[in-house]
């Protein structure tokens, strides 16, 4: 299971976050430049307002008393405010555009990376937690990017610019304001550290909440059939309460930290204004000075408040960024080796040479397997539950990588060929038939969407599926529902067989393909499977031993090792493990 809390807490401030999200933002370089230019124009326009006011009051009104100069000053001020408004509008537009595009790009990268990760990654991960990272955490990052572009670039310019102008107006006031700003920054840093730790817990509990929800909805039929609704509600309530406790704890801390931050933000200008008031009285300053210095003091306070909000948003984003990039930085355990070549399958001969495999180091579930499946041969793998049958055939398409040994197809090591060409040469039909939410036509043509209609109908007929399909309300355009829930088990299997026939693979893997069917459905599906297996090297896992007697060779696994191998008649004559399994199932020769 993925963990992030230890990693997140050790990261330094903005540096790490910006380094991670920078490539996403740089993709929209032009819009960022526009946003920064608009932010600069907005900042300069904002800073010029109190300076223009000072000139307007002191020079145009009080000293010269020139009406034209007054009107000119007011028009100039109105123009500056209009420019400020336009710059603000464009800045916000480009900021939103960058943030939204970065979110789409990040979510796409996440999805594509997840598609490439091996089975072992998903074995140790929780679906709900992955969904939470793909949705909730990405939105948190979007808000971070948005607030950064909106405030993090404009606010410092205004803050620094206001302090510089104040330094020119009065050096002592500039020093005081600089010291107050530094103290506010230190306060934000201390408060942010505490908020970040609480957000780490909230992100984790959100993942747990989504996990329980996804798992419950995924097996809703099982829950209802066993009357476990109350139990699952209690389980969800427990996780929901834990999430509530984390949220309340965060709210409790935030409820005094944020007001404290705001208090500091408001106290700063009060201190500044008080000092300015004293200075004005002592120095007998002009009315223009009062406008200019008071306005600039406000421009110091407002950016400080905005930066405090950005800082709080950053604390939420830090844990979200860590969780998202933990997935993106998870290496692909199974990938093409440098210089990998395309698999060239002519016959379809499969060889296992001293193949071993362990899910956990030191605990092998497949041990030194040596096995050859000749072209056109049907080899059945049987054994008790947990003997390693499904694991063995999952090694052929490289869903898992052998711990030792190698697997060859037509003499080519499957680790030295491209994954795409390897899996394109293999057809898989399993007990749990996976159908996408779409039409029957889309499911049969899955992987080959450009397939001609006549070819789809041809493979459906070969899979004994055409007759039941045309009886459906919309025929091949009938929606099957998520995971094919609107079809029976036998119907789903026949669609899966049609899909495999359309792929026309050289190697065929059947994993309990008829194990969950009734005897009538099994007969129909088995007939379709016989057509699918014809002329192909077939490796089939079977729990129901009545289906394996037609196999060219039967391999008996026990604790990951081959203990017997031969035809049905030969193994029955041995009266060993296979004979015992057959008798236990009540299947007789």
């Amino acid at each position: 299971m993925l963990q992030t809390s230890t990693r997140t807490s050790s990261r330094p401030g903005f540096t790490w976050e910006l380094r991670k999200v920078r490539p996403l933002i740089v993709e929209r370089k032009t819009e960022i430049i526009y946003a920064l230019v608009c932010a600069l124009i907005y900042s300069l326009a904002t800073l010029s307002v109190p300076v223009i006011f000072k000139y307007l009051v002191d020079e145009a009104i009080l000293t010269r008393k020139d009406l034209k100069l007054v009107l000119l000053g007011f028009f100039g001020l109105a123009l500056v405010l209009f420019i400020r408004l336009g710059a603000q509008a464009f800045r916000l537009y480009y900021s939103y555009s960058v943030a939204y595009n970065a979110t789409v790009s990040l979510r796409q990268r996440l999805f594509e990376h997840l598609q490439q990760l091996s089975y072992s990654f998903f074995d140790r991960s929780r679906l709900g937690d992955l969904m939470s990272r793909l949705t909730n955490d990405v939105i948190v990052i979007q808000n971070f990017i948005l607030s950064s572009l909106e405030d993090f670039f404009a606010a410092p310019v205004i803050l620094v610019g206001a302090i510089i102008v104040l330094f020119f107006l009065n050096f002592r006031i500039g020093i005081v304001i600089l010291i107050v700003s530094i103290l506010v920054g230190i306060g934000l840093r201390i408060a942010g550290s505490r908020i970040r730790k609480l957000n780490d817990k909230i992100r984790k509990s959100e993942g747990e909440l989504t996990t329980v929800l996804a798992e419950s909805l995924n097996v809703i039929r099982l829950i209802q059939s066993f009357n476990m609704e109350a139990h699952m509600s209690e389980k969800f309530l427990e996780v929901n309460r834990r999430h509530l406790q984390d949220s309340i704890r965060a709210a409790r801390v935030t409820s005094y930290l944020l007001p404290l931050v705001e208090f500091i933000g408001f106290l700063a200008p009060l201190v500044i204004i008080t000092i300015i008031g004293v200075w004005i009285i002592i120095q007998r300053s002009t009315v223009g000075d009062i406008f200019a210095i008071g306005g600039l003091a406000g421009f110091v306070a407002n950016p400080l408040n905005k930066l405090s909000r950005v800082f709080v948003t950053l604390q939420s984003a830090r844990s979200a960024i860590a969780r998202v990039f933990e997935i993106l930085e998870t290496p692909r355990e199974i990938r093409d080796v440098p210089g990998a070549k395309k698999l060239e399958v002519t016959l379809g001969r499969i060889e296992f040479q001293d193949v071993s495999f362990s899910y956990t180091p030191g605990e092998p579930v497949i041990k030194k397997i040596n096995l050859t499946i000749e072209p056109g041969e049907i080899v059945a793998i049987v054994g008790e539950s947990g003997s390693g049958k499904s694991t063995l055939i999952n090694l052929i398409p490289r869903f898992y990588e052998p711990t030792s040994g190698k697997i060859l197809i037509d003499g080519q090591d499957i680790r030295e060929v491209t994954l795409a060409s390897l899996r394109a040469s293999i057809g898989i039909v399993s007990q749990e038939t996976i159908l996408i939410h779409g039409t029957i036509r889309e499911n049969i043509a899955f992987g080959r969407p450009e397939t001609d209609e006549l070819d789809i109908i041809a493979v459906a007929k070969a899979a004994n599926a055409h007759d039941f399909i045309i009886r459906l309300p919309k025929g091949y355009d009938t929606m099957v529902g998520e995971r094919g829930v609107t079809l029976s088990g036998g119907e789903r299997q026949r669609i899966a067989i049609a899909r495999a026939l359309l792929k026309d693979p050289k190697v065929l893997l059947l994993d309990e393909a008829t194990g969950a069917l009734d005897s009538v459905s099994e007969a129909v599906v088995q007939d379709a499977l016989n057509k699918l297996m014809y002329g192909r090297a077939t490796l089939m896992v079977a729990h129901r031993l009545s289906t394996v007697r037609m196999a060219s060779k039967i391999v008996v696994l026990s604790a990951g090792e081959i203990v017997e191998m031969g035809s049905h008649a030969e193994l029955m004559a041995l009266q060993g493990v296979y004979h015992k399994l057959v008798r236990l199932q009540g299947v007789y020769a």
Side-chain angles (χ1 to χ4, degrees):
M1 189 168 60
L2 294 171
Q3 300 291 338
T4 60
S5 57
T6 55
R7 294 181 58 180
T8 311
S9 59
S10 62
R11 299 294 186 185
F14 271 114
T15 306
W16 182 76
E17 284 78 14
L18 291 179
R19 181 173 62 84
K20 291 292 183 182
V21 300
R22 187 186 298 121
L24 299 171
I25 300 175
V26 170
E27 290 176 0
R28 314 293 298 185
K29 186 183 297 183
T30 302
E31 290 176 305
I32 289 209
I33 292 173
Y34 289 158
L36 294 181
V37 169
C38 289
L40 181 61
I41 294 172
Y42 169 80
S43 303
L44 293 176
T46 300
L47 290 171
S48 66
V49 170
V51 177
I52 294 174
F53 254 116
K54 172 179 168 54
Y55 173 80
L56 186 63
V57 173
D58 285 350
E59 292 294 323
I61 297 176
L62 297 179
T63 303
R64 298 187 183 182
K65 298 179 181 180
D66 187 333
L67 182 59
K68 291 183 179 180
L69 203 56
V70 171
L71 292 176
L72 183 63
F74 274 113
F75 277 119
L77 186 60
L79 178 62
V80 168
L81 291 175
F82 180 78
I83 293 172
R84 181 178 180 273
L85 175 64
Q88 172 74 330
F90 282 108
R91 179 172 71 96
L92 290 175
Y93 170 77
Y94 289 122
S95 297
Y96 276 104
S97 178
V98 171
Y100 291 157
N101 278 283
T103 301
V104 170
S105 178
L106 178 59
R107 190 177 285 122
Q108 187 66 27
R109 281 181 56 193
L110 260 176
F111 183 80
E112 291 176 357
H113 189 68
L114 283 169
Q115 298 278 304
Q116 302 297 322
L117 295 178
S118 65
Y119 273 27
S120 58
F121 171 83
F122 295 98
D123 289 340
R124 60 178 182 265
S125 302
R126 297 177 302 178
L127 176 60
D129 183 63
L130 295 177
M131 291 173 59
S132 179
R133 298 181 192 220
L134 199 62
T135 53
N136 298 341
D137 291 340
V138 170
I139 292 299
V140 171
I141 295 173
Q142 173 184 288
N143 293 335
F144 163 64
I145 295 173
L146 186 59
S147 64
S148 296
L149 289 174
E150 281 187 354
D151 297 322
F152 186 61
F153 293 104
V157 173
I158 295 174
L159 177 62
V160 173
I163 292 175
I164 291 173
V165 174
L166 284 169
F167 262 99
F168 277 106
L169 291 176
N170 188 281
F171 180 80
R172 293 183 182 87
I173 291 180
I175 290 291
V176 170
I177 292 176
L178 182 60
I179 293 173
V180 172
S181 301
I182 293 173
L183 292 175
V184 171
I186 294 172
L188 291 177
R189 178 73 178 182
I190 296 171
S193 177
R194 179 62 175 156
I195 294 173
R196 185 185 69 248
K197 292 177 182 178
L198 291 170
N199 277 309
D200 288 347
K201 290 185 177 181
I202 291 176
R203 295 281 85 76
K204 184 178 179 181
S205 62
E206 280 179 352
E208 292 176 355
L209 197 67
T210 312
T211 295
V212 175
L213 178 61
E215 289 174 350
S216 300
L217 296 178
N218 209 27
V219 293
I220 189 66
R221 291 188 177 188
L222 178 67
I223 292 171
Q224 292 178 349
S225 64
F226 281 86
N227 295 318
M228 291 294 287
E229 294 93 337
H231 171 77
M232 294 306 297
S233 294
E234 187 66 30
K235 183 177 180 181
F236 188 77
L237 179 61
E238 180 184 346
V239 178
N240 211 6
R241 281 175 174 168
R242 190 158 56 245
H243 177 63
L244 175 64
Q245 290 171 357
D246 291 336
S247 300
I248 291 295
R249 194 175 296 114
R252 187 185 304 119
V253 174
T254 305
S255 64
Y256 69 79
L257 280 180
L258 287 185
L260 181 61
V261 169
E262 289 187 5
F263 173 74
I264 294 173
F266 284 115
L267 182 63
L270 288 177
V271 172
I272 293 169
I273 290 172
T274 302
I275 294 172
I276 290 172
V278 173
W279 175 78
I280 289 173
I281 293 172
I282 294 174
Q283 296 293 325
R284 299 181 183 276
S285 300
T286 67
V287 177
D289 286 335
I290 297 174
F291 274 110
I293 296 175
L296 290 169
F299 291 154
V300 170
N302 190 46
L304 285 175
N305 285 328
K306 286 187 175 181
L307 287 175
S308 69
R309 289 198 299 269
V310 173
F311 202 77
V312 171
T313 304
L314 169 64
Q315 306 318 312
S316 296
R318 290 188 67 181
S319 56
I321 291 171
R323 282 164 51 83
V324 166
F325 279 88
E326 183 179 26
I327 295 178
L328 287 175
E329 292 171 357
T330 299
R332 291 174 56 187
E333 298 175 18
I334 298 174
R335 60 194 309 164
D336 291 342
V337 297
K341 298 180 180 179
K342 183 179 179 180
L343 177 65
E344 300 292 342
V345 183
T346 53
L347 301 174
R349 188 172 190 266
I350 308 171
E351 298 175 74
F352 289 81
Q353 297 182 355
D354 289 326
V355 173
S356 297
F357 173 75
S358 302
Y359 290 106
T360 305
E363 300 178 13
V365 294
I366 296 295
K367 306 169 187 175
K368 296 289 184 179
I369 296 294
N370 288 283
L371 175 65
T372 300
I373 299 97
E374 297 292 346
E377 187 177 30
I378 299 174
V379 174
I381 304 175
V382 301
E384 297 178 346
S385 296
S387 60
K389 303 185 297 296
S390 295
T391 300
L392 184 64
I393 68 170
N394 280 331
L395 296 176
I396 297 176
R398 291 184 69 193
F399 293 147
Y400 299 99
E401 203 81 279
T403 309
S404 62
K406 58 184 178 179
I407 301 172
L408 308 177
I409 296 180
D410 283 349
Q412 302 161 84
D413 190 334
I414 62 172
R415 288 174 298 189
E416 297 176 359
V417 300
T418 62
L419 277 170
S421 64
L422 171 65
R423 292 172 180 173
S425 304
I426 299 172
I428 304 173
V429 181
S430 62
Q431 177 178 348
E432 184 185 3
T433 306
I434 305 298
L435 299 182
I436 62 170
H437 180 69
T439 65
I440 289 178
R441 177 184 288 101
E442 289 170 338
N443 274 278
I444 293 176
F446 190 73
R448 295 184 60 184
E450 74 288 348
T451 302
D452 184 83
E453 178 79 8
L454 294 177
D455 290 334
I456 293 175
I457 294 174
V459 295
K461 287 180 177 179
N464 297 333
H466 178 72
D467 290 342
F468 87 79
I469 292 175
I470 59 175
R471 288 196 299 268
L472 295 172
K474 295 184 179 180
Y476 284 85
D477 291 318
T478 301
M479 298 291 292
V480 298
E482 189 173 358
R483 300 177 68 85
V485 294
T486 58
L487 302 176
S488 69
E491 290 169 342
R492 290 197 299 270
Q493 282 294 60
R494 280 177 274 170
I495 289 177
I497 292 169
R499 183 167 59 198
L501 277 167
L502 188 62
K503 191 176 185 181
D504 193 22
K506 298 294 184 180
V507 175
L508 183 61
L509 306 178
L510 306 178
D511 189 0
E512 302 276 13
T514 62
L517 304 179
D518 59 73
S519 56
V520 176
S521 297
E522 180 186 4
V524 177
V525 171
Q526 189 61 55
D527 180 64
L529 285 173
N530 291 339
K531 299 173 187 175
L532 177 61
M533 291 186 290
Y534 181 76
R536 294 180 171 88
T538 302
L539 193 60
M540 60 184 295
V541 169
H543 177 71
R544 191 178 295 174
L545 300 183
S546 59
T547 63
V548 305
R549 286 190 290 183
M550 40 71 70
S552 310
K553 184 164 52 185
I554 299 171
V555 177
V556 184
L557 284 186
S558 179
E561 296 181 285
I562 296 177
V563 293
E564 292 176 3
M565 187 176 351
S567 67
H568 172 76
E570 291 170 343
L571 294 180
M572 288 300 291
L574 283 177
Q575 296 194 354
V577 177
Y578 180 76
H579 181 272
K580 179 181 177 181
L581 291 172
V582 170
R583 295 299 180 186
L584 285 173
Q585 288 193 13
V587 180
Y588 298 95

